[in-house]
Amino acid sequence: MIYGQVLVDGLIVGLIFALVAMGLSLIYGVMNIVNFAHGEFMMLAMYFCFFLWILAGIDPLLSTPIAAVLMYFVGVAVYRVLIRQVLQATMVAQIFATFGLLLFMQASAHFLWKSDARTIPQSWVSGQFQLGGLFFNGPEVVAGAGALMTAAALYWFIHRTETGLALQAVAEDAQAARLMGIDSDRVFGIAWGVSCAAVAIGGGLLSTYYAITPLSGARWALPAFVAVAIGGFGSISGAFLGGLIIGVVQTAGGFFTSPNYKHLFVFALYLLVVFWRPYGLLGRR
Amino acid sequence: MSGAEPLLRIEALEVVYGDFQVLWGVSLQVRAGEVVCLLGPNGAGKSTIMNATTALVPRHAGRVSFRGEDLAGIPTHGLVARGLAHVLERRRLFPTLTVRQNLLLGGFNPAARAHRSESLVWVESVLPFLVERKDQLAGTLSGGEQQMVAIARGLMARPSLLMIDEPFLGLSPRVIDEILAIVERINRQGVAVLFTEQNVQLALSISKRGYLLESGRILLEGSGREMLEHETVRKVYLGL
């Protein structure tokens, strides 16, 4: 039974990692840029939901969709103001751009909201329940289910819509896509918007049980980078799979040794994958 | 015909990469319904003429107009809706998308999307193998099949001019014959074709006119027969 509990807990956490990783992989796949500030958009969404709850009494379940819409436009704006300037630049310049954005957003959050941990102790999803001998925490289950639904929506958007097809075309060959009449600049903006909206949903759902600090987003994004690498850079399904694997490995590793070591297992797994399949499980060579 | 405005008119085009000038005052035109070839050795600037026409590389000087409209300032993605399709060198299909998805992307621009299903029926009638292979990933096709899909993808935009960069590159003689037949077939349906090729005899066998390029300048232009009989062409390119 204990193994079942660890597995289920791991999968629930893994669904959040999967959602964060899919957004990262989307941007990398479409434009070969690693968004180091990905977690910071999540952190912004957490604070947004926290403040709506404490100031206006709006439940995070309601404010999460609002956060997603807002973060879509923030993502598009970041693309237009910052990323567009480094599109043709060297990789080092691109790394500095998104890593600089991470520092800027974290420092701004420290400045505005201090480093105190904020929590939402009571929300619609609070409570525990027991099912088939397993224990479930309401907020975590809802967050996992919400992440799964968002991941499915993201997959549908990329594989079943015209805009998704354009996104895939730009990802494969931006020049050829332009000759098809696709405005790659617009597509890049949409990729940033969708990626930030997806991670905002993750942040909103997490705000019901996870302590909110300026570093909260980074805590989720760092393992998500490993998930992307494990799944294969640029592969959306790979990122999803990688997220689930990371969730289970981190939970099981932490449970059977000590929670202090849980990240150790994640990065050990990463090293294994890098040696065995450097292009990731579902990535292309 | 000669009095009418040509479909594509390039005047005194210059292209510079860094401190290296690739094109020096190139002028050419393609009239409606014509098949025209750009001849010349590797590095003569044939591809650059096409890439500068579709704004994939910046034009340093000169003027390019299509159907009488000056193309200055019009971005690459705005050209296909105006009837100008460009098949890049080495086909450049979307390799992990299916043949059908590649074709749909060819008709992606709003103007073409309105009658995309009819276009699909049309290109699949011109190239029936597209139907059998519709669910195959484009990257897994043979070189010749990829070239045909690339041409079909260009046709999905219902262009009045189809530019094909090196359509015969790396293909077997049998497949080359097939592509030649396809070019003639789409031309009979009223689509003008401009293509690049190094083999003079092969290119002129289907072209109404040709331009011979050398080191970024047009050396010679004329009808297929004139070019084949020209002394320079006979000596340098045909070895006669």
Side-chain angles (χ1 to χ4, degrees):
Chain A
M1 215 70 237
I2 197 67
Y3 293 101
Q5 184 74 51
V6 168
L7 181 68
V8 168
D9 287 352
L11 286 175
I12 289 174
V13 177
L15 285 168
I16 309 263
F17 281 134
L19 181 59
V20 181
M22 282 169 91
L24 268 176
S25 202
L26 174 66
I27 287 180
Y28 183 80
V30 170
M31 52 208 300
N32 283 316
I33 283 184
V34 179
N35 179 17
F36 286 102
H38 195 54
E40 278 48 57
F41 294 98
M42 184 183 217
M43 175 266 290
L44 272 192
M46 287 173 161
Y47 275 104
F48 177 79
C49 292
F50 172 77
F51 282 115
L52 277 193
W53 177 78
I54 199 139
L55 299 176
I58 298 173
D59 193 86
L61 225 47
L62 288 180
S63 48
T64 295
I66 308 171
V69 173
L70 272 177
M71 218 50 76
Y72 176 90
F73 291 107
V74 171
V76 173
V78 165
Y79 167 71
R80 292 206 183 150
V81 174
L82 177 69
I83 304 304
R84 199 189 257 163
Q85 326 304 325
V86 296
L87 268 186
Q88 309 298 331
T90 59
M91 197 180 187
V92 176
Q94 296 176 343
I95 291 173
F96 275 107
T98 64
F99 197 76
L101 182 64
L102 168 145
L103 295 176
F104 172 76
M105 289 172 77
Q106 276 188 9
S108 304
H110 274 294
F111 175 73
L112 290 170
W113 308 311
K114 311 289 177 272
S115 49
D116 310 338
R118 327 253 181 168
T119 49
I120 299 177
Q122 192 59 43
S123 73
W124 292 351
V125 297
S126 299
Q128 277 106 24
F129 61 93
Q130 214 179 334
L131 195 75
L134 300 174
F135 289 92
F136 291 95
N137 205 0
E140 291 175 26
V141 171
V142 170
L148 180 62
M149 276 156 55
T150 311
L154 201 56
Y155 187 87
W156 174 83
F157 168 71
I158 291 166
H159 292 279
R160 295 284 180 273
T161 67
E162 289 283 347
T163 309
L165 188 60
L167 219 75
Q168 291 184 70
V170 171
E172 299 225 324
D173 190 332
Q175 223 176 32
R178 268 176 228 136
L179 287 171
M180 307 291 114
I182 296 167
D183 182 353
S184 54
D185 187 60
R186 218 183 126 241
V187 166
F188 290 155
I190 291 172
W192 273 82
V194 168
S195 170
C196 290
V199 82
I201 292 179
L205 294 166
L206 275 177
S207 71
T208 55
Y209 67 96
Y210 196 76
I212 303 161
T213 75
L215 295 176
S216 295
R219 296 231 163 83
W220 287 87
L222 188 60
F225 275 105
V226 178
V228 172
I230 288 174
F233 264 92
S235 163
I236 297 287
S237 338
F240 182 79
L241 184 66
L244 291 186
I245 293 174
I246 293 246
V248 172
V249 167
Q250 175 175 310
T251 307
F255 180 82
F256 292 112
T257 58
S258 146
N260 293 330
Y261 298 139
K262 65 180 185 183
H263 286 119
L264 181 71
F265 294 94
V266 170
F267 289 101
L269 176 71
Y270 171 65
L271 288 180
L272 264 179
V273 170
V274 166
F275 282 120
W276 171 55
R277 264 180 87 92
Y279 39 90
L281 295 175
L282 301 183
R284 272 171 258 134
R285 250 170 257 239
Chain B
M1 196 50 128
S2 57
E5 175 69 26
L7 209 49
L8 175 70
R9 183 200 286 275
I10 297 175
E11 291 162 296
L13 177 64
E14 314 235 331
V15 170
V16 180
Y17 294 145
D19 24 340
F20 180 65
Q21 182 149 1
V22 188
L23 294 182
W24 303 77
V26 168
S27 297
L28 63 86
Q29 36 187 273
V30 181
R31 289 186 277 268
E34 269 190 323
V35 177
V36 178
C37 60
L38 287 174
L39 300 161
N42 232 337
K46 305 187 296 291
S47 299
T48 304
I49 293 178
M50 290 189 173
N51 294 342
T53 301
T54 48
L56 290 172
V57 301
R59 300 186 279 264
H60 189 70
R63 185 174 185 274
V64 177
S65 57
F66 188 70
R67 287 164 133 179
E69 181 189 10
D70 189 350
L71 295 186
I74 296 174
T76 303
H77 62 84
L79 291 169
V80 69
R82 289 172 161 82
L84 177 59
H86 180 182
V87 178
L88 290 165
E89 191 177 343
R90 303 190 181 279
R91 356 294 186 205
R92 299 277 287 273
L93 295 176
F94 303 111
T96 72
L97 300 183
T98 65
V99 168
R100 177 59 65 82
Q101 285 176 314
N102 269 276
L103 295 181
L104 291 177
L105 283 162
F108 187 84
N109 76 84
R113 213 187 298 182
H115 27 86
R116 193 157 63 171
S117 43
E118 299 143 56
S119 305
L120 204 56
V121 172
W122 175 54
V123 299
E124 286 177 345
S125 73
V126 178
L127 292 155
F129 92 101
L130 294 172
V131 184
E132 304 152 30
R133 300 298 185 83
K134 70 182 167 71
D135 296 320
Q136 193 172 333
L137 298 186
T140 64
L141 297 169
S142 72
E145 289 166 338
Q146 289 197 15
Q147 187 63 65
M148 292 183 214
V149 174
I151 290 173
R153 187 177 66 174
L155 290 175
M156 283 295 292
R158 296 286 183 134
S160 41
L161 173 62
L162 182 64
M163 299 198 297
I164 319 176
D165 201 353
E166 302 276 8
F168 310 111
L169 193 72
L171 303 181
S172 72
R174 192 182 55 79
V175 180
I176 289 177
D177 284 344
E178 272 181 67
I179 304 275
L180 285 170
I182 290 164
V183 170
E184 289 187 314
R185 222 179 308 158
I186 60 181
N187 179 243
R188 272 202 300 277
Q189 309 221 7
V191 182
V193 178
L194 176 69
F195 70 99
T196 63
E197 173 56 39
Q198 296 186 37
N199 183 328
V200 172
Q201 255 172 326
L202 171 66
L204 290 172
S205 72
I206 53 162
S207 306
K208 185 158 177 264
R209 295 187 303 113
Y211 292 88
L212 178 64
L213 235 80
E214 216 174 69
S215 311
R217 288 183 175 86
I218 294 208
L219 204 65
L220 203 63
E221 61 174 286
S223 72
R225 177 173 295 273
E226 282 165 6
M227 303 259 313
L228 282 173
E229 286 171 356
H230 195 278
E231 207 182 334
T232 317
V233 175
R234 286 170 65 87
K235 256 202 205 133
V236 180
Y237 294 92
L238 301 175
L240 298 171

